[in-house]
Amino acid sequence: GDSVTQMEGPVTLSEEAFLTINCTYTATGYPSLFWYVQYPGEGLQLLLKATEADDKGSNKGFEATYRKETTSFHLEKGSVQVSDSAVYFCALTRGGSNYKLTFGKGTLLTVNP
Amino acid sequence: GAVVSQHPSRVICKSGTSVKIECRSLDFQATTMFWYRQFPKQSLMLMATSNEGSKATYEQGVEKDKFLINHASLTLSTLTVTSAHPEDSSFYICSAEPPGGAGDTQYFGPGTRLTVL
């Protein structure tokens, strides 16, 4: 079945550091890929997405490129801020009648001033 | 953005009792709602898909008689954990999808922490 594997956390960085959170997936066909973010006390929010191979999703300074050859969708940000502290989830969907989302385990990011 | 609320945010109950969790879409009508369960340090696992006015579709391995889902209106879905036991302790999260939406338009609630003593 479908699965998503993302790097174990927690990740602790200083402000303005470079961030990479690795994500790889297993799925048949051509899934759509997502990164969701969950800030403390809030629900998951869509951060960015990519629906085709080589697509780059971007939002709020975060980027991720859909790499079909390596089945990866790594999240990157060049300079993190304290406000980026949150849990990040990689996810995929293969569409269909109800667009079931398959999530990774989540990675807790803490950014210190 | 669209808001989805869950109530209660935390609940502690005794073993054998039933607990109801509400999921509401506050500013849009949701024809489809999803219920997820999350164990510590684990991913969100889809439990069931709920469509307004019809029976929920449960994922394999989820006991439909234990986790009762009702989606009686376009803005409210409820999950009732019947005869709860300590192994049901978990974080339950709902999401709601607006009409005509794709997977990336699911809006998530903040979750409900259930502890069964």
Side-chain angles (χ1 to χ4, degrees):
Chain A
D2 298 342
S3 67
V4 175
T5 302
Q6 61 182 102
M7 66 186 288
E8 297 269 340
V11 175
T12 303
L13 296 173
S14 297
E15 206 164 22
E16 299 184 1
F18 184 86
L19 168 71
T20 299
I21 301 178
N22 291 336
C23 171
T24 57
Y25 67 89
T26 301
T28 56
Y30 299 91
S32 294
L33 303 175
F34 307 87
W35 277 100
Y36 282 85
V37 58
Q38 185 176 30
Y39 298 104
E42 299 183 15
L44 275 73
Q45 303 172 24
L46 178 66
L47 179 61
L48 54 84
K49 67 173 181 176
T51 57
E52 296 180 353
D54 299 325
D55 271 1
K56 177 185 285 187
S58 62
N59 185 25
K60 298 181 181 181
F62 291 89
E63 293 183 340
T65 301
Y66 188 161
R67 301 287 188 198
K68 189 161 179 64
E69 64 276 14
T70 54
T71 62
S72 65
F73 193 54
H74 303 323
L75 182 68
E76 296 182 337
K77 186 173 185 180
S79 176
V80 293
Q81 305 300 312
V82 173
S83 57
D84 293 327
S85 298
V87 181
Y88 292 82
F89 292 90
C90 186
L92 68 82
T93 179
R94 283 196 285 127
S97 60
N98 61 13
Y99 295 96
K100 172 184 173 181
L101 281 165
T102 300
F103 286 90
K105 292 183 179 181
T107 302
L108 172 63
L109 169 66
T110 302
V111 180
N112 295 318
Chain B
V3 177
V4 174
S5 69
Q6 281 185 242
H7 178 79
S9 57
R10 294 176 181 269
V11 57
I12 300 172
C13 69
K14 293 181 179 180
S15 184
T17 61
S18 294
V19 175
K20 180 185 285 187
I21 302 170
E22 294 185 347
C23 176
R24 293 181 184 273
S25 56
L26 299 184
D27 51 4
F28 66 99
Q29 294 184 329
T31 53
T32 303
M33 289 185 169
F34 302 86
W35 285 97
Y36 296 84
R37 182 173 179 178
Q38 185 181 26
F39 292 102
K41 299 185 179 181
Q42 300 292 320
S43 62
L44 280 74
M45 300 299 295
L46 180 65
M47 298 175 65
T49 302
S50 163
N51 291 297
E52 186 267 338
S54 63
K55 290 184 178 180
T57 302
Y58 290 81
E59 294 298 301
Q60 190 173 8
V62 177
E63 300 176 59
K64 59 182 66 177
D65 293 332
K66 180 164 190 64
F67 298 100
L68 301 179
I69 291 172
N70 185 298
H71 192 163
S73 78
L74 287 172
T75 59
L76 173 64
S77 176
T78 60
L79 167 68
T80 301
V81 183
T82 62
S83 186
H85 288 92
E87 59 266 30
D88 298 324
S89 298
S90 192
F91 195 55
Y92 293 88
I93 301 172
C94 74
S95 70
E97 182 179 308
D104 60 357
T105 54
Q106 286 187 39
Y107 297 100
F108 287 81
T112 297
R113 173 76 60 192
L114 170 63
T115 303
V116 184
L117 303 176

